Amino acid sequence: ISENISREKEIKNVVFVGGPKSGKGEVIEELVESFGVKVVCAESLIVNSLSKKLGNIGKSDGKPDTASLLAHLRNNPGTISLDWVLDLIKTEILKHPDCVHVIDLLP
């Protein structure tokens, strides 16, 4: 990858979308190794933030439990919104404003 792509100063955010087994994770790892980009994983941000927001719901051994969080979301679909998720991503990006970010939107 690093032989074919040059790092442009104008590029600040790259959004990756791909389903399971699409190879997206491997490409993101290559970008991290080759260019030192920061990865913003929407799934991790959502799970960790929801776990904090909901307290004991969705925690197993002190760690977020995705299955419990999904069950809660099925019964309470208004718990999260697109605006909330985009704000989580924005907040994470602003922690390192001078870096190029790879945004992983789907697990």
Side-chain angles (χ1 to χ4, degrees):
I1 258 182
S2 61
E3 298 163 4
N4 299 321
I5 300 174
S6 64
R7 185 172 175 180
E8 298 291 330
K9 291 189 182 236
E10 304 89 45
I11 297 174
K12 288 293 181 185
N13 301 303
V14 178
V15 177
F16 264 80
V17 179
K21 307 287 186 199
S22 66
K24 176 184 64 172
E26 293 173 13
V27 173
I28 289 173
E29 285 180 29
E30 179 87 21
L31 290 171
V32 169
E33 290 174 17
S34 298
F35 300 107
V37 299
K38 298 276 184 198
V39 178
V40 177
C41 178
E43 179 185 20
S44 295
L45 291 173
I46 293 166
V47 169
N48 291 330
S49 295
L50 267 182
S51 182
K52 289 176 188 173
K53 184 178 181 178
L54 299 175
N56 290 332
I57 296 175
K59 286 195 177 180
S60 174
D61 299 327
K63 297 179 181 178
D65 173 33
T66 307
S68 297
L69 291 174
L70 286 173
H72 174 82
L73 291 173
R74 279 189 203 101
N75 295 323
N76 304 281
T79 303
I80 63 172
S81 67
L82 178 59
D83 287 339
W84 180 72
V85 173
L86 293 175
D87 192 49
L88 290 175
I89 293 169
K90 176 184 168 186
T91 300
E92 193 65 23
I93 289 171
L94 290 175
K95 289 179 183 177
H96 306 281
D98 296 328
C99 293
V100 174
H101 298 88
V102 172
I103 304 163
D104 182 357
L105 289 179
L106 298 172

